[in-house]
Amino acid sequence: AGSSLWRIFISFLLQILITRILGVAEFGQYVSALAFLNVSQVVSELGLPSMLVRDLAQQPGRRRNYFFLSLRVQLLSSMTTWAGLVLLAWLLPVSPMTRAALMLVGASLPFYAITSSSQTLFRASERMELVMGVEGIINSLILGLSLWILWRGGGVQPLIGVLVLTQAISASLSLILLWRTRLLAGAQDDTPLRWQQIWQAARPFYWLSLADVLLHRLDILLLNVLAGDFVTGVYSIAYSVVRVLVKLIQSYWQALYPTLSRLFHATADQYQRLSSLSLRYGLMLVLPATAVGFGIAPELLQLLYGNESVNSVIVFQILVWSAPIYLVEMYAVTQLMATGHPRSSLQITWVHIAGLLVLLPLLTLWLGATGAAVALIIAGLVGAIWGRIKLHRFAITWHVHRAWALLAATMVVALLAALLPLVWPIRALIGGVVYLAIIWLAGVVEADDRRLALAMFGR
């Protein structure tokens, strides 16, 4: 979790600096290259890391065998994916600068294969401090080198070169740590492995990983092809702030997933209570952040990105509402996974992706970046509604105490934060106070909630 938060912070800070120093179009090129890289990394992994972490945690005597198989397969897959990315760069109607960035960023994939194979063993061995150490060093190095390049007047291609260089360093560090920790030493089972059996076991993990990365990157991939670097940059400025909320929501449900899984099989009453509380508390936190963000959007984006953000304000005011929708959708996905319905869980994500594939090209060609934001909202609603249908089918809890009061408070706060003739920090503060007052008076906060809070802080 610490590594993930540090990575989000570094990425967010870099995006602000690139936009301010290089401009919106160059930011669009950089973000597009990252989006293609993220998808290529998942494609080249073939679902092996998730599957091997599970299996090697149970069978540590097979580490060496699985590691070298994973390394061979992922290296071959990474080279193939890089070649596919180069071909795609030539075939897609993108700008010459974006094409060059896509061809260069693929050079990091073989090094990523080594890092991925090594860190699979770290995770399976519950040596998470090794993962955190490598990722912390590498992300800090990315920030330092990128700042140096921007200071020297460098552009997008040198920044992409930083990603390739740091990935090579990451691979080297991972191998050194693997050797020093002797995780491959000791008695090992060297029984030959059959790739066909491994692929069959890894395939569900592959589709889950691919669906997840497409859910968060498909909009950027489509935008750059359909509308070019500038529109992608305008959209990405708005989404970069929303993405922080989205990542926090994702971490929230990932943290609750194992507990929900355990309680579902152990204590039905506690499972029902945690399900109800988790959705209600999540909305109680995300809705006011969404409403305040909507109201102070012009000043917030100006503070972060300067005058380059002027075209992104309306896009942000639309996109920010995707956060509570995503919270509800992820509630359904998490519940279906916890209760043993992974196919239905994956189906929600694919329905969301299908909606995005249909709507985003149409609305982008009509309304540009604003249309892309509207498409993301509608696709999210479709995914959330489909999740509701699936939960109803399996009789899984879906209830928010006094939901009407939460929604009413959110609308009031959004209007206050947008319309009050005061500086934006005061508007945000007043919005927060009004929100708390409404949900308190409406009875959204129950006596049990207060006792739970006191018990938590009392510890």
Side-chain angles (χ1 to χ4, degrees):
S3 299
S4 179
L5 289 173
W6 182 240
R7 183 169 60 250
I8 292 169
F9 171 74
I10 293 295
S11 175
F12 186 53
L13 183 58
L14 262 181
Q15 289 173 9
I16 291 172
L17 292 171
I18 291 171
T19 306
R20 281 181 169 271
I21 296 172
L22 298 183
V24 176
E26 288 79 1
F27 177 54
Q29 294 164 9
Y30 185 79
V31 170
S32 298
L34 285 182
F36 276 96
L37 175 62
N38 293 154
V39 175
S40 298
Q41 287 173 340
V42 171
V43 169
S44 67
E45 284 182 327
L46 299 173
L48 286 173
S50 298
M51 187 270 290
L52 291 182
V53 166
R54 180 198 66 182
D55 289 355
L56 291 179
Q58 302 169 7
Q59 306 173 69
R62 309 201 76 178
R63 288 175 186 165
R64 186 164 57 222
N65 214 350
Y66 274 120
F67 170 73
F68 286 110
L69 174 69
S70 171
L71 187 59
R72 290 196 302 271
V73 170
Q74 287 196 61
L75 278 172
L76 178 61
S77 177
S78 66
M79 297 297 290
T80 306
T81 305
W82 184 13
L85 189 58
V86 170
L87 179 62
L88 203 59
W90 282 108
L91 294 176
L92 292 176
V94 296
S95 67
M97 289 297 292
T98 300
R99 180 174 293 114
L102 293 181
M103 295 173 68
L104 178 59
V105 80
S108 68
L109 290 173
F111 301 117
Y112 178 77
I114 298 171
T115 300
S116 175
S117 298
S118 302
Q119 295 195 358
T120 296
L121 283 190
F122 299 158
R123 292 188 175 96
S125 307
E126 298 184 55
R127 298 296 303 274
M128 301 304 292
E129 75 280 4
L130 301 178
V131 178
M132 184 181 70
V134 172
E135 293 194 357
I137 291 170
I138 296 306
N139 284 305
S140 300
L141 194 57
I142 289 173
L143 177 62
L145 291 174
S146 298
L147 287 174
W148 181 74
I149 285 173
L150 290 171
W151 179 65
R152 295 292 300 269
V156 173
Q157 287 194 44
L159 292 173
I160 297 297
V162 167
L163 299 180
V164 178
L165 173 63
T166 52
Q167 192 62 70
I169 296 171
S170 175
S172 302
L173 279 175
S174 297
L175 288 176
I176 291 169
L177 289 173
L178 187 63
W179 172 69
R180 288 183 64 86
T181 53
R182 299 181 60 80
L183 292 178
L184 297 179
Q188 294 285 310
D189 178 5
D190 291 323
T191 306
L193 298 171
R194 293 181 59 190
W195 165 241
Q196 292 81 357
Q197 292 178 335
I198 300 296
W199 167 241
Q200 187 174 4
R203 192 161 49 194
F205 295 94
Y206 176 68
W207 290 118
L208 282 168
S209 301
L210 185 60
D212 182 66
V213 74
L214 286 176
L215 184 66
H216 299 291
R217 289 303 193 185
L218 185 61
D219 49 355
I220 302 297
L221 300 182
L222 291 175
L223 263 180
N224 197 275
V225 173
L226 293 168
D229 296 334
F230 183 79
V231 173
T232 303
V234 168
Y235 176 91
S236 298
I237 285 173
Y239 188 68
S240 64
V241 184
V242 178
R243 183 175 167 79
V244 175
L245 261 181
V246 167
K247 283 296 183 182
L248 291 173
I249 291 168
Q250 198 174 33
S251 299
Y252 176 73
W253 290 119
Q254 286 174 349
L256 285 167
Y257 168 67
T259 307
L260 286 168
S261 301
R262 176 173 58 81
L263 292 179
F264 176 74
H265 295 285
T267 312
D269 289 344
Q270 290 190 26
Y271 161 73
Q272 295 288 347
R273 177 164 170 73
L274 179 60
S275 297
S276 178
L277 288 177
S278 62
L279 181 57
R280 182 156 60 93
Y281 288 168
L283 287 171
M284 285 171 63
L285 292 170
V286 171
L287 285 173
T290 300
V292 170
F294 171 84
I296 65 170
E299 295 91 343
L300 177 63
L301 293 184
Q302 172 71 27
L303 175 67
L304 293 173
Y305 291 99
N307 295 330
E308 299 287 353
S309 67
V310 64
N311 296 310
S312 301
V313 172
I314 295 176
V315 180
F316 175 80
Q317 289 180 316
I318 297 170
L319 279 177
V320 74
W321 295 102
S322 68
I325 296 171
Y326 181 69
L327 178 87
V328 172
E329 182 181 351
M330 282 303 297
Y331 171 78
V333 169
T334 305
Q335 286 283 18
L336 289 167
M337 288 291 291
T339 55
H341 305 289
R343 289 187 179 181
S344 294
S345 175
L346 182 59
Q347 195 178 93
I348 295 171
T349 304
W350 284 122
V351 166
H352 185 151
I353 290 170
L356 205 56
L357 275 172
V358 172
L359 293 169
L360 193 140
L362 295 175
L363 294 178
T364 298
L365 293 175
W366 180 27
L367 298 171
T370 304
V374 173
L376 190 76
I377 293 292
I378 298 174
L381 283 171
V382 170
I385 292 169
W386 191 253
R388 176 68 182 92
I389 292 170
K390 285 294 182 181
L391 291 183
H392 179 73
R393 176 185 173 186
F394 295 110
I396 297 173
T397 299
W398 177 291
H399 174 70
V400 179
H401 177 66
R402 298 188 183 274
W404 61 269
L406 279 174
L407 294 176
T410 301
M411 293 302 105
V412 170
V413 169
L415 290 173
L416 288 175
L419 300 178
L420 284 176
L422 301 167
V423 294
W424 70 269
I426 302 298
R427 300 203 313 268
L429 180 61
I430 291 174
V433 171
V434 169
Y435 179 84
L436 290 174
I438 292 175
I439 64 172
W440 184 277
L441 293 173
V444 177
V445 181
E446 300 176 320
D448 283 349
D449 298 331
R450 293 192 289 272
R451 283 195 292 269
L452 180 60
L454 288 172
M456 289 169 60
F457 288 112
R459 292 176 185 174

